[in-house]
Amino acid sequence: MADSNFIDYVKIHCRSGKGGAGSRHFYRAKYVPKGGPDGGDGGRGGHIILRGNAQMWTLLPLKYNRHMFAGNGQSGTGGRSFGKDGNDVIIDVPCGTVVFDAETGDFLCEVNNDGEEVKLLRGGRGGLGNWHFKSATNRTPRYAQPGEPAIEKTVILELKLLADVGLVGFPNAGKSTLLSALSAARPKIADYPFTTMEPQLGIVSYRDNRSFVMADIPGIIEGASEGKGLGLRFLRHIERNAVLLFMIPADAEDIAKEYNILLGELEKFNPQLMDKQRVLAISKSDMLDEELIAEIEPTLPDDIPHVFISAVTGLGLTELKDILWAAVTDERNQIATPSITHRPLDGHHRVREEDEFIFDTPTIVDEEDDEDFDEDFDNGEWDESWDMDFPDDVIDND
């Protein structure tokens, strides 16, 4: 996976901007002995915003840019001049991106549509200047509000591909071959397990210029929900599929048993997957004759529709597309965003190399908004901790 450009799990560190402090300025002018307070408000801090981008298919840009810091709001000045707002940071992500708290694993938000913007971290509000606090009994308020502090958080972005049909099966069940036969996708096909190392999407053409999207994930093995094989890392991509297409080869020893194993792994990963409509496809059926098919049919599960197919000869592909189209267009299978329950991240659902990533986040001192700094500096008091924030040629410790 190190050489792949498909990144669907990344950990980043975000910090919104802090609000600028309000000003305590008083109006001073010739022949105006009592000008009064006129300190302006501080500007708000910048937001951290996630924006859906349909042209993106991977979180790769964020893997090499893990620190997202918004700009701080500037302090207000005299003449009721407001401070400048901090610059927002807009992070483009693929549609279907889900955000979790890196520390607790709790679900925070998700971005599903192109152009959709979600405010991940809100910038601090700017403080009010002293002119807001003047009254008939307090004509010279010598105080103003400080700006709200910034919000700092480490989050995990997890991409869940948006597709209508998701392929589920053991390695070498013929999933990639079927995807290449039904769509223009060209996934890698070979005769060894785990040929598919990353999810693949294909657009399947149907009658009357209609189409639906099919997703292929790496093969699932028994114990995938506990971290075995590659299936666990990519099972998240079928959480958004409307229909699950189970593929089991015709030469399997017990088709019903393998189907139950696959179903059990999905239930352990996310019990909500059991509510999705399922279709069973018996692949590699070109090896069977009518007598063998008649013997196999009574052993198949009764609760789902099944079809015998062969991606090589085209056997049953038209019937399969009819069944899938009927399932995709069924109103009961339409996925509504509020109905999707994203399970919290736990030890089994995390990616170790991302979860153990350590951020170097130096503390930035903004002396313009630090009232203690201003007061101590005016009184001639110097804190040695400030030395690191200024060039040596401007520091006079004497």
Side-chain angles (χ1 to χ4, degrees):
M1 291 300 298
D3 298 332
S4 174
N5 288 330
F6 182 80
I7 302 298
D8 60 352
Y9 187 104
V10 68
K11 181 179 178 182
I12 64 174
H13 186 78
C14 301
R15 181 173 64 203
S16 62
K18 62 181 179 180
S23 174
R24 297 169 291 179
H25 188 269
F26 286 86
Y27 181 73
R28 294 289 184 268
K30 192 176 183 180
Y31 307 119
V32 184
K34 297 181 180 180
D38 69 342
D41 301 344
R44 69 158 178 85
H47 304 311
I48 302 293
I49 300 174
L50 299 179
R51 180 174 61 189
N53 188 343
Q55 304 301 320
M56 295 181 63
W57 61 279
T58 175
L59 296 172
L60 180 65
L62 296 179
K63 188 176 181 64
Y64 302 103
N65 188 17
R66 296 178 180 267
H67 295 82
M68 299 294 176
F69 296 157
N72 295 327
Q74 295 183 359
S75 301
T77 56
R80 297 187 183 180
S81 297
F82 291 0
K84 182 180 178 181
D85 292 341
N87 295 326
D88 297 334
V89 173
I90 299 179
I91 307 174
D92 285 332
V93 295
C95 297
T97 300
V98 184
V99 185
F100 297 92
D101 190 311
E103 296 182 0
T104 64
D106 295 335
F107 167 77
L108 298 179
C109 63
E110 59 181 332
V111 181
N112 295 323
N113 303 315
D114 185 30
E116 178 185 359
E117 293 187 356
V118 176
K119 193 175 296 181
L120 180 60
L121 298 181
R122 183 181 296 274
R125 292 178 297 181
L128 299 178
N130 61 348
W131 73 278
H132 284 280
F133 304 103
K134 65 180 180 180
S135 64
T137 58
N138 185 13
R139 298 187 177 184
T140 57
R142 299 184 180 278
Y143 53 85
Q145 285 183 337
E148 287 185 341
I151 301 176
E152 195 165 357
K153 187 181 291 291
T154 302
V155 298
I156 290 176
L157 302 183
E158 190 179 67
L159 175 60
K160 299 181 180 181
L161 294 179
L162 301 175
D164 299 310
V165 180
L167 297 177
V168 182
F170 287 99
N172 289 104
K175 301 186 300 298
S176 299
T177 305
L178 177 64
L179 184 65
S180 63
L182 296 181
S183 68
R186 292 295 176 263
K188 184 178 180 181
I189 300 174
D191 59 352
Y192 54 85
F194 297 111
T195 306
T196 301
M197 298 294 292
E198 61 188 39
Q200 301 287 337
L201 288 179
I203 300 177
V204 180
S205 300
Y206 194 62
R207 300 187 183 96
D208 301 329
N209 295 324
R210 294 174 292 181
S211 62
F212 57 89
V213 181
M214 180 178 289
D216 175 25
I217 66 171
I220 301 174
I221 62 175
E222 187 172 4
S225 60
E226 300 176 356
K228 296 181 181 180
L230 299 177
L232 173 67
R233 179 164 182 174
F234 299 106
L235 279 175
R236 66 177 72 99
H237 294 292
I238 63 176
E239 288 184 315
R240 293 190 186 275
N241 302 152
V243 181
L244 300 181
L245 176 58
F246 288 77
M247 293 191 61
I248 300 177
D251 56 355
E253 295 182 2
D254 191 338
I255 296 179
K257 180 180 178 181
E258 293 193 1
Y259 167 75
N260 291 328
I261 292 176
L262 294 172
L263 201 61
E265 294 300 326
L266 297 186
E267 185 176 10
K268 293 177 183 178
F269 180 78
N270 188 349
Q272 193 180 13
L273 294 176
M274 297 298 99
D275 299 333
K276 298 181 181 293
Q277 184 166 342
R278 304 185 290 272
V279 178
L280 177 61
I282 312 302
S283 61
K284 305 178 183 179
S285 296
D286 53 314
M287 302 182 299
L288 304 178
D289 53 20
E290 295 181 359
E291 295 181 0
L292 290 176
I293 293 178
E295 294 178 3
I296 294 176
E297 280 189 339
T299 64
L300 300 179
D302 298 330
D303 56 340
I304 63 172
H306 63 270
V307 57
F308 290 84
I309 65 171
S310 173
V312 177
T313 63
L315 173 66
L317 296 186
T318 301
E319 181 183 356
L320 176 62
K321 289 197 290 184
D322 292 338
I323 296 176
L324 294 177
W325 179 258
V328 169
T329 56
D330 191 342
E331 294 182 357
R332 296 173 298 177
N333 296 328
Q334 301 302 316
I335 298 179
T337 300
S339 67
I340 299 178
T341 302
H342 299 283
R343 46 97 187 105
L345 293 178
D346 55 24
H348 291 304
H349 301 129
R350 291 178 180 264
V351 179
R352 175 178 296 182
E353 59 268 24
E354 290 292 332
D355 195 49
E356 296 179 353
F357 188 87
I358 300 176
F359 295 95
D360 183 13
T361 55
T363 302
I364 300 177
V365 176
D366 190 349
E367 66 275 7
E368 294 181 359
D369 293 341
D370 192 343
E371 296 182 1
D372 295 336
F373 176 90
D374 294 336
E375 183 178 355
D376 293 342
F377 185 82
D378 293 339
N379 295 336
E381 300 177 2
W382 188 269
D383 190 340
E384 295 180 357
S385 64
W386 296 340
D387 293 354
M388 61 179 294
D389 300 315
F390 295 90
D392 295 335
D393 56 354
V394 300
I395 296 178
D396 185 4
N397 291 325
D398 298 330

